[in-house]
Amino acid sequence: MCGAFVSASGSRNDIFSYRNIYRCYLACRKNKRTTANALKFELNAEENIFKLEQELKAKTYHPSRSLLFVAQKPKRREIFAAAFRDRIVHHILVDRLERIWEPIFIHDSYACRRKKGTHKAVDRLQGFLRRITKNGRRRTWYLQLDVKDFFTAIDKDILFGLIKKKVKDEVVLWLARTVIFWDCTTSYEIRGSRRTISSVPPNKSLFGKRNEKGLPIGNLTSQFFANLYLNELDQFVKHTLKAHYYLRYTDDFVLLSTDRKELEKHRGSIEEFLKTRLALALHPKRRKLAMVSGGIDFLGYIVRQNYKLVRRRVVNNFRRKIKNGRQGNFDNVAASYKGHFKHANAYRLQKSLGII
């Protein structure tokens, strides 16, 4: 993740070296350099990195106060943004854990991984459709599921147990334990009103979970831990259920088959596996079993065998932003949406919206 230095022997003794922390600092600041937190750290970067090095080596490090706010789009979410120095630590930890889990992860897990992402996932799904419907096979079905309240439902004991099975280095385990079991609801600064914070539904909030469940949305560690946690599901689907056409993006996953009854059986097996092994539940309203001829609504696109359309909600969001945006903001908004539109068959749509 941050290009950390590794000795020729692969020793972990460098994990808290100044050099390793500095490299992770450089990786961390790429997208955060203009934030007040990052600028404050950068003013005395060498001294701050040295202090962080000493705390990590002495195991006196603990996370700092988070910034708590509510994101409204695409749906209301509670965000605990970690302090910049803690983000550096997240890079250190994920960099080390990635070396263990990346070779284990299945190919078709697409969230928050190098050379993956939403567009690769959509392209792969379309490739699956072309392969499974070749030779004139028309009666093909898809099963689309996602996990109910995924990030706030992750069980911390189960998560740490999964890490302990693969990691034998006590230093890495200490850091993982420190990050996972830090209760961000005990130390935070609010941006916005308390009324807005309290408007987040209890099932979408980390408050009231007694620090037993839930990871803060947005942190690098949370994104990686999400993949680590659901890798158990991936392995079950691929190696126990032996589903050939399966892919996942975070907690949204799709299976294809020419046998409807097979998918119905898989749905029950997946539900039971999530409940008994990961203490998770399928979302009751987001279980879709249908024929692929109607297209698959996935990651902002309607995916068909030979073309992709932009989802209506994405188009409506674009129109709303243009309508509510400030004068002169059109070019900025249009540029951000063009990246999404260009991956679909959307020339006439873009022309009608006035962005080409």
Side-chain angles (χ1 to χ4, degrees), residues 260-287:
R260 178 189 173 101
K261 290 184 177 180
E262 178 183 64
L263 291 180
E264 290 175 344
K265 185 177 179 180
H266 285 348
R267 180 173 56 192
S269 298
I270 289 170
E271 186 166 26
E272 180 65 18
F273 179 86
L274 289 173
K275 179 182 177 181
T276 58
R277 295 286 294 275
L278 299 176
L280 297 174
L282 290 175
H283 197 293
K285 296 182 179 179
R286 296 176 186 168
R287 309 179 184 195

PDB file of all heavy atoms in Angstrom, residues 260-287:
ATOM      1  N   ARG A 260     -32.135 -21.823 -12.341  1.00  0.00           N
ATOM      2  CA  ARG A 260     -32.767 -20.986 -11.318  1.00  0.00           C
ATOM      3  C   ARG A 260     -32.760 -21.678  -9.952  1.00  0.00           C
ATOM      4  O   ARG A 260     -32.490 -21.040  -8.930  1.00  0.00           O
ATOM      5  CB  ARG A 260     -34.203 -20.637 -11.735  1.00  0.00           C
ATOM      6  CG  ARG A 260     -34.941 -19.799 -10.696  1.00  0.00           C
ATOM      7  CD  ARG A 260     -36.425 -19.648 -11.023  1.00  0.00           C
ATOM      8  NE  ARG A 260     -37.102 -18.977  -9.925  1.00  0.00           N
ATOM      9  CZ  ARG A 260     -37.440 -17.690  -9.920  1.00  0.00           C
ATOM     10  NH1 ARG A 260     -37.159 -16.932 -10.974  1.00  0.00           N
ATOM     11  NH2 ARG A 260     -38.059 -17.167  -8.877  1.00  0.00           N
ATOM     12  N   LYS A 261     -33.075 -22.968  -9.925  1.00  0.00           N
ATOM     13  CA  LYS A 261     -33.137 -23.690  -8.656  1.00  0.00           C
ATOM     14  C   LYS A 261     -31.775 -23.727  -7.963  1.00  0.00           C
ATOM     15  O   LYS A 261     -31.697 -23.696  -6.733  1.00  0.00           O
ATOM     16  CB  LYS A 261     -33.657 -25.106  -8.882  1.00  0.00           C
ATOM     17  CG  LYS A 261     -35.129 -25.155  -9.269  1.00  0.00           C
ATOM     18  CD  LYS A 261     -35.626 -26.586  -9.389  1.00  0.00           C
ATOM     19  CE  LYS A 261     -37.118 -26.619  -9.712  1.00  0.00           C
ATOM     20  NZ  LYS A 261     -37.630 -28.022  -9.837  1.00  0.00           N
ATOM     21  N   GLU A 262     -30.705 -23.783  -8.762  1.00  0.00           N
ATOM     22  CA  GLU A 262     -29.365 -23.761  -8.184  1.00  0.00           C
ATOM     23  C   GLU A 262     -29.130 -22.444  -7.448  1.00  0.00           C
ATOM     24  O   GLU A 262     -28.593 -22.433  -6.333  1.00  0.00           O
ATOM     25  CB  GLU A 262     -28.319 -23.938  -9.281  1.00  0.00           C
ATOM     26  CG  GLU A 262     -26.875 -23.881  -8.762  1.00  0.00           C
ATOM     27  CD  GLU A 262     -25.861 -23.981  -9.874  1.00  0.00           C
ATOM     28  OE1 GLU A 262     -25.831 -23.056 -10.726  1.00  0.00           O
ATOM     29  OE2 GLU A 262     -25.109 -24.973  -9.897  1.00  0.00           O
ATOM     30  N   LEU A 263     -29.542 -21.337  -8.045  1.00  0.00           N
ATOM     31  CA  LEU A 263     -29.371 -20.031  -7.404  1.00  0.00           C
ATOM     32  C   LEU A 263     -30.235 -19.910  -6.152  1.00  0.00           C
ATOM     33  O   LEU A 263     -29.816 -19.311  -5.164  1.00  0.00           O
ATOM     34  CB  LEU A 263     -29.699 -18.913  -8.388  1.00  0.00           C
ATOM     35  CG  LEU A 263     -28.708 -18.727  -9.548  1.00  0.00           C
ATOM     36  CD1 LEU A 263     -29.158 -17.590 -10.456  1.00  0.00           C
ATOM     37  CD2 LEU A 263     -27.298 -18.467  -9.030  1.00  0.00           C
ATOM     38  N   GLU A 264     -31.431 -20.474  -6.188  1.00  0.00           N
ATOM     39  CA  GLU A 264     -32.288 -20.462  -4.999  1.00  0.00           C
ATOM     40  C   GLU A 264     -31.617 -21.217  -3.856  1.00  0.00           C
ATOM     41  O   GLU A 264     -31.645 -20.783  -2.697  1.00  0.00           O
ATOM     42  CB  GLU A 264     -33.648 -21.081  -5.322  1.00  0.00           C
ATOM     43  CG  GLU A 264     -34.515 -20.229  -6.231  1.00  0.00           C
ATOM     44  CD  GLU A 264     -35.810 -20.926  -6.615  1.00  0.00           C
ATOM     45  OE1 GLU A 264     -35.890 -22.169  -6.427  1.00  0.00           O
ATOM     46  OE2 GLU A 264     -36.729 -20.244  -7.090  1.00  0.00           O
ATOM     47  N   LYS A 265     -31.002 -22.339  -4.181  1.00  0.00           N
ATOM     48  CA  LYS A 265     -30.289 -23.124  -3.175  1.00  0.00           C
ATOM     49  C   LYS A 265     -29.070 -22.362  -2.658  1.00  0.00           C
ATOM     50  O   LYS A 265     -28.803 -22.347  -1.447  1.00  0.00           O
ATOM     51  CB  LYS A 265     -29.863 -24.460  -3.777  1.00  0.00           C
ATOM     52  CG  LYS A 265     -29.220 -25.413  -2.776  1.00  0.00           C
ATOM     53  CD  LYS A 265     -28.891 -26.740  -3.444  1.00  0.00           C
ATOM     54  CE  LYS A 265     -28.222 -27.690  -2.442  1.00  0.00           C
ATOM     55  NZ  LYS A 265     -27.880 -28.996  -3.083  1.00  0.00           N
ATOM     56  N   HIS A 266     -28.346 -21.712  -3.554  1.00  0.00           N
ATOM     57  CA  HIS A 266     -27.177 -20.913  -3.151  1.00  0.00           C
ATOM     58  C   HIS A 266     -27.579 -19.788  -2.198  1.00  0.00           C
ATOM     59  O   HIS A 266     -26.861 -19.488  -1.244  1.00  0.00           O
ATOM     60  CB  HIS A 266     -26.491 -20.314  -4.379  1.00  0.00           C
ATOM     61  CG  HIS A 266     -25.700 -21.301  -5.182  1.00  0.00           C
ATOM     62  ND1 HIS A 266     -25.399 -22.567  -4.723  1.00  0.00           N
ATOM     63  CD2 HIS A 266     -25.134 -21.197  -6.426  1.00  0.00           C
ATOM     64  CE1 HIS A 266     -24.688 -23.207  -5.635  1.00  0.00           C
ATOM     65  NE2 HIS A 266     -24.521 -22.408  -6.673  1.00  0.00           N
ATOM     66  N   ARG A 267     -28.722 -19.185  -2.470  1.00  0.00           N
ATOM     67  CA  ARG A 267     -29.184 -18.094  -1.619  1.00  0.00           C
ATOM     68  C   ARG A 267     -29.372 -18.561  -0.175  1.00  0.00           C
ATOM     69  O   ARG A 267     -28.941 -17.894   0.775  1.00  0.00           O
ATOM     70  CB  ARG A 267     -30.498 -17.509  -2.148  1.00  0.00           C
ATOM     71  CG  ARG A 267     -31.053 -16.355  -1.308  1.00  0.00           C
ATOM     72  CD  ARG A 267     -32.250 -15.713  -1.997  1.00  0.00           C
ATOM     73  NE  ARG A 267     -33.294 -16.697  -2.299  1.00  0.00           N
ATOM     74  CZ  ARG A 267     -34.342 -16.453  -3.090  1.00  0.00           C
ATOM     75  NH1 ARG A 267     -34.475 -15.266  -3.669  1.00  0.00           N
ATOM     76  NH2 ARG A 267     -35.243 -17.387  -3.309  1.00  0.00           N
ATOM     77  N   GLY A 268     -29.994 -19.710   0.000  1.00  0.00           N
ATOM     78  CA  GLY A 268     -30.182 -20.250   1.343  1.00  0.00           C
ATOM     79  C   GLY A 268     -28.862 -20.614   2.003  1.00  0.00           C
ATOM     80  O   GLY A 268     -28.657 -20.358   3.195  1.00  0.00           O
ATOM     81  N   SER A 269     -27.943 -21.178   1.233  1.00  0.00           N
ATOM     82  CA  SER A 269     -26.631 -21.569   1.779  1.00  0.00           C
ATOM     83  C   SER A 269     -25.834 -20.340   2.193  1.00  0.00           C
ATOM     84  O   SER A 269     -25.170 -20.337   3.239  1.00  0.00           O
ATOM     85  CB  SER A 269     -25.851 -22.378   0.737  1.00  0.00           C
ATOM     86  OG  SER A 269     -26.528 -23.571   0.402  1.00  0.00           O
ATOM     87  N   ILE A 270     -25.879 -19.296   1.373  1.00  0.00           N
ATOM     88  CA  ILE A 270     -25.154 -18.060   1.690  1.00  0.00           C
ATOM     89  C   ILE A 270     -25.727 -17.402   2.936  1.00  0.00           C
ATOM     90  O   ILE A 270     -24.989 -16.942   3.806  1.00  0.00           O
ATOM     91  CB  ILE A 270     -25.210 -17.101   0.482  1.00  0.00           C
ATOM     92  CG1 ILE A 270     -24.322 -17.631  -0.655  1.00  0.00           C
ATOM     93  CG2 ILE A 270     -24.784 -15.685   0.883  1.00  0.00           C
ATOM     94  CD1 ILE A 270     -24.501 -16.893  -1.967  1.00  0.00           C
ATOM     95  N   GLU A 271     -27.040 -17.373   3.028  1.00  0.00           N
ATOM     96  CA  GLU A 271     -27.682 -16.766   4.190  1.00  0.00           C
ATOM     97  C   GLU A 271     -27.277 -17.485   5.476  1.00  0.00           C
ATOM     98  O   GLU A 271     -26.966 -16.854   6.488  1.00  0.00           O
ATOM     99  CB  GLU A 271     -29.197 -16.787   4.015  1.00  0.00           C
ATOM    100  CG  GLU A 271     -29.951 -16.040   5.100  1.00  0.00           C
ATOM    101  CD  GLU A 271     -31.398 -15.797   4.728  1.00  0.00           C
ATOM    102  OE1 GLU A 271     -31.949 -16.578   3.923  1.00  0.00           O
ATOM    103  OE2 GLU A 271     -31.977 -14.826   5.230  1.00  0.00           O
ATOM    104  N   GLU A 272     -27.261 -18.794   5.436  1.00  0.00           N
ATOM    105  CA  GLU A 272     -26.883 -19.582   6.612  1.00  0.00           C
ATOM    106  C   GLU A 272     -25.410 -19.389   6.945  1.00  0.00           C
ATOM    107  O   GLU A 272     -25.033 -19.266   8.128  1.00  0.00           O
ATOM    108  CB  GLU A 272     -27.183 -21.059   6.358  1.00  0.00           C
ATOM    109  CG  GLU A 272     -26.838 -21.978   7.519  1.00  0.00           C
ATOM    110  CD  GLU A 272     -27.683 -21.727   8.759  1.00  0.00           C
ATOM    111  OE1 GLU A 272     -28.760 -21.093   8.639  1.00  0.00           O
ATOM    112  OE2 GLU A 272     -27.258 -22.174   9.848  1.00  0.00           O
ATOM    113  N   PHE A 273     -24.554 -19.348   5.934  1.00  0.00           N
ATOM    114  CA  PHE A 273     -23.116 -19.152   6.155  1.00  0.00           C
ATOM    115  C   PHE A 273     -22.851 -17.795   6.802  1.00  0.00           C
ATOM    116  O   PHE A 273     -22.085 -17.696   7.768  1.00  0.00           O
ATOM    117  CB  PHE A 273     -22.355 -19.257   4.838  1.00  0.00           C
ATOM    118  CG  PHE A 273     -20.874 -19.034   4.977  1.00  0.00           C
ATOM    119  CD1 PHE A 273     -20.032 -20.083   5.303  1.00  0.00           C
ATOM    120  CD2 PHE A 273     -20.323 -17.768   4.804  1.00  0.00           C
ATOM    121  CE1 PHE A 273     -18.660 -19.872   5.458  1.00  0.00           C
ATOM    122  CE2 PHE A 273     -18.966 -17.551   4.944  1.00  0.00           C
ATOM    123  CZ  PHE A 273     -18.123 -18.604   5.272  1.00  0.00           C
ATOM    124  N   LEU A 274     -23.461 -16.753   6.277  1.00  0.00           N
ATOM    125  CA  LEU A 274     -23.252 -15.417   6.837  1.00  0.00           C
ATOM    126  C   LEU A 274     -23.700 -15.352   8.297  1.00  0.00           C
ATOM    127  O   LEU A 274     -23.029 -14.748   9.140  1.00  0.00           O
ATOM    128  CB  LEU A 274     -24.018 -14.375   6.013  1.00  0.00           C
ATOM    129  CG  LEU A 274     -23.475 -14.077   4.611  1.00  0.00           C
ATOM    130  CD1 LEU A 274     -24.433 -13.154   3.863  1.00  0.00           C
ATOM    131  CD2 LEU A 274     -22.093 -13.426   4.690  1.00  0.00           C
ATOM    132  N   LYS A 275     -24.818 -15.999   8.589  1.00  0.00           N
ATOM    133  CA  LYS A 275     -25.362 -15.972   9.949  1.00  0.00           C
ATOM    134  C   LYS A 275     -24.479 -16.720  10.933  1.00  0.00           C
ATOM    135  O   LYS A 275     -24.157 -16.220  12.021  1.00  0.00           O
ATOM    136  CB  LYS A 275     -26.775 -16.562   9.949  1.00  0.00           C
ATOM    137  CG  LYS A 275     -27.422 -16.615  11.310  1.00  0.00           C
ATOM    138  CD  LYS A 275     -28.805 -17.264  11.215  1.00  0.00           C
ATOM    139  CE  LYS A 275     -29.452 -17.386  12.593  1.00  0.00           C
ATOM    140  NZ  LYS A 275     -30.790 -18.042  12.493  1.00  0.00           N
ATOM    141  N   THR A 276     -24.067 -17.927  10.572  1.00  0.00           N
ATOM    142  CA  THR A 276     -23.359 -18.787  11.518  1.00  0.00           C
ATOM    143  C   THR A 276     -21.864 -18.502  11.598  1.00  0.00           C
ATOM    144  O   THR A 276     -21.265 -18.658  12.663  1.00  0.00           O
ATOM    145  CB  THR A 276     -23.561 -20.268  11.148  1.00  0.00           C
ATOM    146  OG1 THR A 276     -23.094 -20.486   9.812  1.00  0.00           O
ATOM    147  CG2 THR A 276     -25.030 -20.644  11.231  1.00  0.00           C
ATOM    148  N   ARG A 277     -21.252 -18.076  10.511  1.00  0.00           N
ATOM    149  CA  ARG A 277     -19.801 -17.883  10.489  1.00  0.00           C
ATOM    150  C   ARG A 277     -19.367 -16.438  10.683  1.00  0.00           C
ATOM    151  O   ARG A 277     -18.307 -16.177  11.247  1.00  0.00           O
ATOM    152  CB  ARG A 277     -19.240 -18.408   9.160  1.00  0.00           C
ATOM    153  CG  ARG A 277     -19.392 -19.911   8.984  1.00  0.00           C
ATOM    154  CD  ARG A 277     -18.412 -20.688   9.865  1.00  0.00           C
ATOM    155  NE  ARG A 277     -17.043 -20.433   9.429  1.00  0.00           N
ATOM    156  CZ  ARG A 277     -16.437 -21.089   8.453  1.00  0.00           C
ATOM    157  NH1 ARG A 277     -17.080 -22.053   7.806  1.00  0.00           N
ATOM    158  NH2 ARG A 277     -15.199 -20.814   8.122  1.00  0.00           N
ATOM    159  N   LEU A 278     -20.189 -15.492  10.210  1.00  0.00           N
ATOM    160  CA  LEU A 278     -19.769 -14.089  10.240  1.00  0.00           C
ATOM    161  C   LEU A 278     -20.725 -13.178  10.999  1.00  0.00           C
ATOM    162  O   LEU A 278     -20.495 -11.963  11.069  1.00  0.00           O
ATOM    163  CB  LEU A 278     -19.597 -13.569   8.802  1.00  0.00           C
ATOM    164  CG  LEU A 278     -18.529 -14.285   7.954  1.00  0.00           C
ATOM    165  CD1 LEU A 278     -18.539 -13.741   6.532  1.00  0.00           C
ATOM    166  CD2 LEU A 278     -17.146 -14.129   8.578  1.00  0.00           C
ATOM    167  N   ALA A 279     -21.780 -13.727  11.578  1.00  0.00           N
ATOM    168  CA  ALA A 279     -22.762 -12.939  12.343  1.00  0.00           C
ATOM    169  C   ALA A 279     -23.339 -11.795  11.514  1.00  0.00           C
ATOM    170  O   ALA A 279     -23.546 -10.690  12.002  1.00  0.00           O
ATOM    171  CB  ALA A 279     -22.135 -12.405  13.634  1.00  0.00           C
ATOM    172  N   LEU A 280     -23.614 -12.090  10.244  1.00  0.00           N
ATOM    173  CA  LEU A 280     -24.178 -11.106   9.330  1.00  0.00           C
ATOM    174  C   LEU A 280     -25.507 -11.624   8.796  1.00  0.00           C
ATOM    175  O   LEU A 280     -25.804 -12.815   8.864  1.00  0.00           O
ATOM    176  CB  LEU A 280     -23.229 -10.853   8.154  1.00  0.00           C
ATOM    177  CG  LEU A 280     -21.858 -10.250   8.469  1.00  0.00           C
ATOM    178  CD1 LEU A 280     -21.009 -10.214   7.207  1.00  0.00           C
ATOM    179  CD2 LEU A 280     -21.995  -8.854   9.071  1.00  0.00           C
ATOM    180  N   ALA A 281     -26.294 -10.698   8.233  1.00  0.00           N
ATOM    181  CA  ALA A 281     -27.579 -11.074   7.642  1.00  0.00           C
ATOM    182  C   ALA A 281     -27.703 -10.449   6.261  1.00  0.00           C
ATOM    183  O   ALA A 281     -27.172  -9.364   6.007  1.00  0.00           O
ATOM    184  CB  ALA A 281     -28.732 -10.610   8.530  1.00  0.00           C
ATOM    185  N   LEU A 282     -28.405 -11.133   5.378  1.00  0.00           N
ATOM    186  CA  LEU A 282     -28.696 -10.557   4.070  1.00  0.00           C
ATOM    187  C   LEU A 282     -29.743  -9.462   4.213  1.00  0.00           C
ATOM    188  O   LEU A 282     -30.642  -9.548   5.051  1.00  0.00           O
ATOM    189  CB  LEU A 282     -29.218 -11.626   3.110  1.00  0.00           C
ATOM    190  CG  LEU A 282     -28.212 -12.677   2.639  1.00  0.00           C
ATOM    191  CD1 LEU A 282     -28.921 -13.731   1.797  1.00  0.00           C
ATOM    192  CD2 LEU A 282     -27.078 -12.037   1.852  1.00  0.00           C
ATOM    193  N   HIS A 283     -29.615  -8.421   3.383  1.00  0.00           N
ATOM    194  CA  HIS A 283     -30.608  -7.354   3.398  1.00  0.00           C
ATOM    195  C   HIS A 283     -31.936  -7.921   2.891  1.00  0.00           C
ATOM    196  O   HIS A 283     -32.000  -8.490   1.794  1.00  0.00           O
ATOM    197  CB  HIS A 283     -30.156  -6.204   2.501  1.00  0.00           C
ATOM    198  CG  HIS A 283     -30.892  -4.933   2.756  1.00  0.00           C
ATOM    199  ND1 HIS A 283     -32.242  -4.780   2.489  1.00  0.00           N
ATOM    200  CD2 HIS A 283     -30.472  -3.745   3.271  1.00  0.00           C
ATOM    201  CE1 HIS A 283     -32.618  -3.557   2.818  1.00  0.00           C
ATOM    202  NE2 HIS A 283     -31.574  -2.911   3.300  1.00  0.00           N
ATOM    203  N   PRO A 284     -33.004  -7.776   3.666  1.00  0.00           N
ATOM    204  CA  PRO A 284     -34.280  -8.409   3.287  1.00  0.00           C
ATOM    205  C   PRO A 284     -34.909  -7.840   2.019  1.00  0.00           C
ATOM    206  O   PRO A 284     -35.680  -8.533   1.346  1.00  0.00           O
ATOM    207  CB  PRO A 284     -35.171  -8.162   4.509  1.00  0.00           C
ATOM    208  CG  PRO A 284     -34.582  -6.965   5.177  1.00  0.00           C
ATOM    209  CD  PRO A 284     -33.101  -7.070   4.955  1.00  0.00           C
ATOM    210  N   LYS A 285     -34.586  -6.582   1.679  1.00  0.00           N
ATOM    211  CA  LYS A 285     -35.205  -5.945   0.517  1.00  0.00           C
ATOM    212  C   LYS A 285     -34.287  -5.895  -0.702  1.00  0.00           C
ATOM    213  O   LYS A 285     -34.660  -5.336  -1.729  1.00  0.00           O
ATOM    214  CB  LYS A 285     -35.655  -4.527   0.882  1.00  0.00           C
ATOM    215  CG  LYS A 285     -36.735  -4.486   1.953  1.00  0.00           C
ATOM    216  CD  LYS A 285     -37.168  -3.065   2.237  1.00  0.00           C
ATOM    217  CE  LYS A 285     -38.270  -3.031   3.303  1.00  0.00           C
ATOM    218  NZ  LYS A 285     -38.694  -1.640   3.610  1.00  0.00           N
ATOM    219  N   ARG A 286     -33.109  -6.437  -0.570  1.00  0.00           N
ATOM    220  CA  ARG A 286     -32.165  -6.399  -1.686  1.00  0.00           C
ATOM    221  C   ARG A 286     -31.720  -7.811  -2.060  1.00  0.00           C
ATOM    222  O   ARG A 286     -30.547  -8.129  -2.090  1.00  0.00           O
ATOM    223  CB  ARG A 286     -30.962  -5.517  -1.330  1.00  0.00           C
ATOM    224  CG  ARG A 286     -31.349  -4.058  -1.104  1.00  0.00           C
ATOM    225  CD  ARG A 286     -30.178  -3.236  -0.661  1.00  0.00           C
ATOM    226  NE  ARG A 286     -30.598  -1.887  -0.315  1.00  0.00           N
ATOM    227  CZ  ARG A 286     -29.836  -1.006   0.329  1.00  0.00           C
ATOM    228  NH1 ARG A 286     -28.601  -1.352   0.691  1.00  0.00           N
ATOM    229  NH2 ARG A 286     -30.295   0.197   0.616  1.00  0.00           N
ATOM    230  N   ARG A 287     -32.705  -8.620  -2.308  1.00  0.00           N
ATOM    231  CA  ARG A 287     -32.473  -9.990  -2.771  1.00  0.00           C
ATOM    232  C   ARG A 287     -33.203 -10.141  -4.098  1.00  0.00           C
ATOM    233  O   ARG A 287     -34.428 -10.181  -4.126  1.00  0.00           O
ATOM    234  CB  ARG A 287     -33.017 -11.003  -1.768  1.00  0.00           C
ATOM    235  CG  ARG A 287     -32.552 -10.785  -0.342  1.00  0.00           C
ATOM    236  CD  ARG A 287     -33.169 -11.810   0.572  1.00  0.00           C
ATOM    237  NE  ARG A 287     -32.826 -11.587   1.964  1.00  0.00           N
ATOM    238  CZ  ARG A 287     -33.005 -12.488   2.921  1.00  0.00           C
ATOM    239  NH1 ARG A 287     -33.516 -13.666   2.622  1.00  0.00           N
ATOM    240  NH2 ARG A 287     -32.680 -12.215   4.168  1.00  0.00           N
TER     241      ARG A 287
END
